[in-house]
Amino acid sequence: MSPCYSWGVPLAITVAAVSLKKIGYDASDVSVGWCWINLEAEDRVLWMLLTGKLWEMLAYILLPLLYLLVRKHINRAHQALSEYRPICEGRQLQRGSSTSTADKKLVLIPLIFICLRVWSTVRFVLTLCGSPAVQTPVLVVLHGIGNTFQGGANCIMFVLCTRAVRTRLFSLCCCCPRPSTQSPPGAPTPPKIGESQESRRTPEVPST
């Protein structure tokens, strides 16, 4: 059912906005480089909220709330397993570093999203207030990066900041030649395994 909601609801809102002719070039006052809701429409604020800003503001609240609920569930699970701690002590020591790393990444998910998307909300509020600061170049650049870099930030956090994945990527990208096992010229060649065993087995015949 989740794909139906995640794809169906945005598709229905987009089809409704296009059919009602609410889409138009907005001179990048609210979006950066793409067409969105026409600023000359009478109910533009309603359609801006429905086509993005309402969900964006809800995400600012829901993501930290979901993180707190996940952390609360994890703490309850640890307390429930506290009586088995002597049995699981060795395993916990091994998994301690990985657990702390996963916890840090779990904290960064809502923080990265808010830091990237907040500039879009700032320009939306400035547009509603009619402020000329909406065209500030710094805000425009931050808005453009934040709206498109969410996937890149997740890639950096979960791929490049993961030691196992990073090591494997470096080993695939940096094709270092393997050290040669051939001996340098002039060095005595070591005896083969078969020859050394035969020399040990064959007794020496005394000379007469």
Short mmCIF file of all heavy atoms in Angstrom, two decimals, residues 31-64:
data_model
loop_
_atom_site.label_atom_id
_atom_site.label_comp_id
_atom_site.label_asym_id
_atom_site.label_seq_id
_atom_site.Cartn_x
_atom_site.Cartn_y
_atom_site.Cartn_z
N SER A 31 10.64 28.47 -6.57
CA SER A 31 11.44 27.34 -7.01
C SER A 31 12.68 27.86 -7.73
O SER A 31 12.79 29.04 -8.03
CB SER A 31 10.63 26.42 -7.93
OG SER A 31 10.27 27.12 -9.10
N VAL A 32 13.59 26.97 -8.01
CA VAL A 32 14.86 27.36 -8.64
C VAL A 32 15.01 26.58 -9.94
O VAL A 32 15.27 25.38 -9.94
CB VAL A 32 16.05 27.08 -7.72
CG1 VAL A 32 17.36 27.46 -8.41
CG2 VAL A 32 15.92 27.87 -6.43
N GLY A 33 14.80 27.28 -11.05
CA GLY A 33 15.09 26.68 -12.34
C GLY A 33 14.00 25.81 -12.93
O GLY A 33 14.20 25.24 -14.00
N TRP A 34 12.85 25.66 -12.29
CA TRP A 34 11.77 24.85 -12.86
C TRP A 34 10.43 25.55 -12.60
O TRP A 34 10.29 26.35 -11.68
CB TRP A 34 11.77 23.44 -12.28
CG TRP A 34 11.66 23.40 -10.78
CD1 TRP A 34 10.52 23.46 -10.04
CD2 TRP A 34 12.72 23.29 -9.85
NE1 TRP A 34 10.80 23.40 -8.71
CE2 TRP A 34 12.15 23.28 -8.55
CE3 TRP A 34 14.12 23.17 -9.96
CZ2 TRP A 34 12.92 23.19 -7.41
CZ3 TRP A 34 14.86 23.08 -8.81
CH2 TRP A 34 14.26 23.09 -7.56
N CYS A 35 9.46 25.18 -13.43
CA CYS A 35 8.13 25.79 -13.29
C CYS A 35 7.39 25.18 -12.11
O CYS A 35 7.54 23.99 -11.82
CB CYS A 35 7.33 25.57 -14.58
SG CYS A 35 8.02 26.42 -16.00
N TRP A 36 6.59 26.01 -11.49
CA TRP A 36 5.78 25.53 -10.36
C TRP A 36 4.45 26.25 -10.40
O TRP A 36 3.90 26.49 -11.47
CB TRP A 36 6.55 25.77 -9.06
CG TRP A 36 5.99 24.99 -7.89
CD1 TRP A 36 5.39 23.76 -7.95
CD2 TRP A 36 5.97 25.37 -6.53
NE1 TRP A 36 5.00 23.35 -6.70
CE2 TRP A 36 5.35 24.33 -5.81
CE3 TRP A 36 6.41 26.49 -5.86
CZ2 TRP A 36 5.17 24.38 -4.44
CZ3 TRP A 36 6.24 26.54 -4.49
CH2 TRP A 36 5.63 25.50 -3.78
N ILE A 37 3.90 26.61 -9.26
CA ILE A 37 2.60 27.27 -9.22
C ILE A 37 2.72 28.69 -9.75
O ILE A 37 3.66 29.42 -9.40
CB ILE A 37 2.03 27.26 -7.79
CG1 ILE A 37 1.91 25.83 -7.28
CG2 ILE A 37 0.69 27.96 -7.74
CD1 ILE A 37 1.01 24.96 -8.10
N ASN A 38 1.77 29.08 -10.56
CA ASN A 38 1.75 30.43 -11.12
C ASN A 38 1.48 31.44 -10.01
O ASN A 38 0.50 31.33 -9.26
CB ASN A 38 0.67 30.54 -12.20
CG ASN A 38 0.73 31.86 -12.94
OD1 ASN A 38 1.62 32.68 -12.71
ND2 ASN A 38 -0.22 32.07 -13.82
N LEU A 39 2.35 32.44 -9.88
CA LEU A 39 2.20 33.44 -8.83
C LEU A 39 1.03 34.38 -9.06
O LEU A 39 0.62 35.11 -8.15
CB LEU A 39 3.50 34.25 -8.69
CG LEU A 39 4.72 33.49 -8.18
CD1 LEU A 39 5.92 34.41 -8.12
CD2 LEU A 39 4.45 32.87 -6.82
N GLU A 40 0.48 34.40 -10.29
CA GLU A 40 -0.65 35.25 -10.57
C GLU A 40 -1.99 34.58 -10.27
O GLU A 40 -3.04 35.22 -10.40
CB GLU A 40 -0.61 35.68 -12.04
CG GLU A 40 0.60 36.53 -12.39
CD GLU A 40 0.62 36.94 -13.85
OE1 GLU A 40 -0.31 36.50 -14.57
OE2 GLU A 40 1.54 37.67 -14.25
N ALA A 41 -1.96 33.29 -9.90
CA ALA A 41 -3.21 32.60 -9.56
C ALA A 41 -3.77 33.14 -8.24
O ALA A 41 -3.01 33.50 -7.33
CB ALA A 41 -2.97 31.10 -9.47
N GLU A 42 -5.08 33.21 -8.14
CA GLU A 42 -5.70 33.76 -6.93
C GLU A 42 -5.48 32.85 -5.72
O GLU A 42 -5.23 33.34 -4.62
CB GLU A 42 -7.20 33.97 -7.17
CG GLU A 42 -7.50 35.01 -8.25
CD GLU A 42 -8.99 35.18 -8.45
OE1 GLU A 42 -9.76 34.46 -7.78
OE2 GLU A 42 -9.39 36.04 -9.27
N ASP A 43 -5.59 31.55 -5.92
CA ASP A 43 -5.41 30.60 -4.82
C ASP A 43 -4.02 29.96 -4.85
O ASP A 43 -3.86 28.78 -4.61
CB ASP A 43 -6.49 29.51 -4.87
CG ASP A 43 -6.59 28.88 -6.25
OD1 ASP A 43 -5.92 29.37 -7.18
OD2 ASP A 43 -7.35 27.90 -6.40
N ARG A 44 -3.01 30.78 -5.19
CA ARG A 44 -1.65 30.26 -5.32
C ARG A 44 -1.11 29.71 -4.00
O ARG A 44 -0.37 28.72 -3.99
CB ARG A 44 -0.72 31.33 -5.85
CG ARG A 44 -0.63 32.58 -4.99
CD ARG A 44 0.23 33.65 -5.65
NE ARG A 44 0.32 34.86 -4.82
CZ ARG A 44 -0.58 35.84 -4.86
NH1 ARG A 44 -1.62 35.75 -5.65
NH2 ARG A 44 -0.43 36.90 -4.08
N VAL A 45 -1.46 30.33 -2.87
CA VAL A 45 -0.94 29.86 -1.58
C VAL A 45 -1.45 28.46 -1.29
O VAL A 45 -0.70 27.59 -0.83
CB VAL A 45 -1.33 30.84 -0.46
CG1 VAL A 45 -0.85 30.32 0.89
CG2 VAL A 45 -0.75 32.22 -0.73
N LEU A 46 -2.72 28.20 -1.57
CA LEU A 46 -3.28 26.87 -1.33
C LEU A 46 -2.58 25.83 -2.18
O LEU A 46 -2.23 24.75 -1.68
CB LEU A 46 -4.78 26.90 -1.64
CG LEU A 46 -5.50 25.54 -1.58
CD1 LEU A 46 -5.43 24.97 -0.17
CD2 LEU A 46 -6.93 25.69 -2.06
N TRP A 47 -2.35 26.13 -3.45
CA TRP A 47 -1.71 25.16 -4.32
C TRP A 47 -0.23 25.00 -4.01
O TRP A 47 0.34 23.93 -4.20
CB TRP A 47 -1.91 25.56 -5.78
CG TRP A 47 -3.29 25.24 -6.26
CD1 TRP A 47 -4.34 26.10 -6.42
CD2 TRP A 47 -3.79 23.95 -6.60
NE1 TRP A 47 -5.45 25.44 -6.84
CE2 TRP A 47 -5.15 24.10 -6.97
CE3 TRP A 47 -3.22 22.68 -6.64
CZ2 TRP A 47 -5.94 23.04 -7.37
CZ3 TRP A 47 -4.00 21.60 -7.04
CH2 TRP A 47 -5.35 21.79 -7.40
N MET A 48 0.40 26.04 -3.56
CA MET A 48 1.80 25.90 -3.12
C MET A 48 1.91 24.98 -1.91
O MET A 48 2.84 24.17 -1.81
CB MET A 48 2.39 27.28 -2.79
CG MET A 48 2.73 28.13 -3.99
SD MET A 48 3.39 29.73 -3.49
CE MET A 48 3.60 30.51 -5.09
N LEU A 49 0.96 25.09 -1.02
CA LEU A 49 0.97 24.21 0.15
C LEU A 49 0.68 22.76 -0.26
O LEU A 49 1.34 21.83 0.21
CB LEU A 49 -0.06 24.69 1.17
CG LEU A 49 0.25 26.02 1.86
CD1 LEU A 49 -0.93 26.46 2.73
CD2 LEU A 49 1.51 25.92 2.71
N LEU A 50 -0.30 22.58 -1.15
CA LEU A 50 -0.67 21.23 -1.54
C LEU A 50 0.41 20.54 -2.36
O LEU A 50 0.60 19.32 -2.27
CB LEU A 50 -1.98 21.25 -2.34
CG LEU A 50 -3.25 21.55 -1.55
CD1 LEU A 50 -4.46 21.60 -2.48
CD2 LEU A 50 -3.47 20.49 -0.47
N THR A 51 1.13 21.31 -3.18
CA THR A 51 2.12 20.71 -4.07
C THR A 51 3.52 20.65 -3.48
O THR A 51 4.47 20.32 -4.22
CB THR A 51 2.17 21.51 -5.39
OG1 THR A 51 2.42 22.89 -5.09
CG2 THR A 51 0.89 21.38 -6.17
N GLY A 52 3.66 20.95 -2.21
CA GLY A 52 5.01 20.76 -1.67
C GLY A 52 5.25 21.35 -0.30
O GLY A 52 5.81 20.67 0.57
N LYS A 53 4.86 22.58 -0.08
CA LYS A 53 5.27 23.25 1.14
C LYS A 53 4.61 22.68 2.39
O LYS A 53 5.23 22.62 3.46
CB LYS A 53 4.97 24.74 1.04
CG LYS A 53 5.76 25.44 -0.05
CD LYS A 53 7.24 25.20 0.12
CE LYS A 53 8.04 25.73 -1.03
NZ LYS A 53 9.49 25.39 -0.91
N LEU A 54 3.36 22.23 2.27
CA LEU A 54 2.70 21.63 3.42
C LEU A 54 3.41 20.35 3.85
O LEU A 54 3.66 20.14 5.04
CB LEU A 54 1.24 21.34 3.08
CG LEU A 54 0.42 20.62 4.17
CD1 LEU A 54 0.35 21.48 5.43
CD2 LEU A 54 -0.96 20.28 3.65
N TRP A 55 3.79 19.51 2.88
CA TRP A 55 4.49 18.27 3.19
C TRP A 55 5.90 18.54 3.69
O TRP A 55 6.43 17.80 4.52
CB TRP A 55 4.51 17.37 1.95
CG TRP A 55 3.20 17.34 1.24
CD1 TRP A 55 2.88 17.93 0.04
CD2 TRP A 55 1.99 16.71 1.69
NE1 TRP A 55 1.57 17.71 -0.28
CE2 TRP A 55 0.99 16.96 0.71
CE3 TRP A 55 1.66 15.96 2.82
CZ2 TRP A 55 -0.30 16.48 0.83
CZ3 TRP A 55 0.36 15.49 2.95
CH2 TRP A 55 -0.60 15.75 1.96
N GLU A 56 6.50 19.59 3.17
CA GLU A 56 7.84 19.96 3.61
C GLU A 56 7.83 20.39 5.07
O GLU A 56 8.69 19.97 5.86
CB GLU A 56 8.36 21.09 2.72
CG GLU A 56 9.80 21.49 2.94
CD GLU A 56 10.22 22.53 1.94
OE1 GLU A 56 9.98 23.73 2.19
OE2 GLU A 56 10.76 22.17 0.88
N MET A 57 6.85 21.21 5.45
CA MET A 57 6.76 21.65 6.84
C MET A 57 6.37 20.52 7.78
O MET A 57 6.84 20.45 8.93
CB MET A 57 5.75 22.80 6.95
CG MET A 57 6.16 24.05 6.21
SD MET A 57 4.89 25.34 6.25
CE MET A 57 5.63 26.59 5.21
N LEU A 58 5.52 19.61 7.30
CA LEU A 58 5.19 18.43 8.11
C LEU A 58 6.41 17.55 8.34
O LEU A 58 6.57 16.95 9.40
CB LEU A 58 4.07 17.64 7.44
CG LEU A 58 2.66 18.24 7.51
CD1 LEU A 58 1.68 17.38 6.72
CD2 LEU A 58 2.20 18.37 8.96
N ALA A 59 7.28 17.48 7.32
CA ALA A 59 8.49 16.67 7.47
C ALA A 59 9.42 17.23 8.53
O ALA A 59 10.12 16.48 9.22
CB ALA A 59 9.23 16.57 6.13
N TYR A 60 9.45 18.58 8.68
CA TYR A 60 10.27 19.17 9.73
C TYR A 60 9.84 18.68 11.13
O TYR A 60 10.67 18.60 12.04
CB TYR A 60 10.16 20.70 9.70
CG TYR A 60 10.71 21.34 8.45
CD1 TYR A 60 10.21 22.56 8.00
CD2 TYR A 60 11.72 20.73 7.72
CE1 TYR A 60 10.71 23.16 6.86
CE2 TYR A 60 12.21 21.31 6.57
CZ TYR A 60 11.71 22.53 6.14
OH TYR A 60 12.20 23.11 5.01
N ILE A 61 8.57 18.37 11.28
CA ILE A 61 8.05 17.93 12.57
C ILE A 61 8.08 16.41 12.69
O ILE A 61 8.47 15.86 13.72
CB ILE A 61 6.61 18.45 12.77
CG1 ILE A 61 6.59 19.98 12.69
CG2 ILE A 61 6.05 17.98 14.11
CD1 ILE A 61 5.20 20.58 12.71
N LEU A 62 7.70 15.72 11.60
CA LEU A 62 7.55 14.26 11.67
C LEU A 62 8.89 13.54 11.75
O LEU A 62 9.02 12.53 12.46
CB LEU A 62 6.75 13.76 10.46
CG LEU A 62 5.27 14.16 10.43
CD1 LEU A 62 4.61 13.64 9.17
CD2 LEU A 62 4.56 13.63 11.67
N LEU A 63 9.90 14.02 11.03
CA LEU A 63 11.19 13.32 11.05
C LEU A 63 11.83 13.33 12.43
O LEU A 63 12.25 12.27 12.92
CB LEU A 63 12.13 13.94 10.01
CG LEU A 63 11.87 13.53 8.55
CD1 LEU A 63 12.84 14.24 7.63
CD2 LEU A 63 11.98 12.03 8.38
N PRO A 64 11.96 14.46 13.13
CA PRO A 64 12.48 14.39 14.50
C PRO A 64 11.59 13.58 15.43
O PRO A 64 12.11 12.87 16.32
CB PRO A 64 12.55 15.87 14.93
CG PRO A 64 12.63 16.64 13.67
CD PRO A 64 11.81 15.87 12.70
#
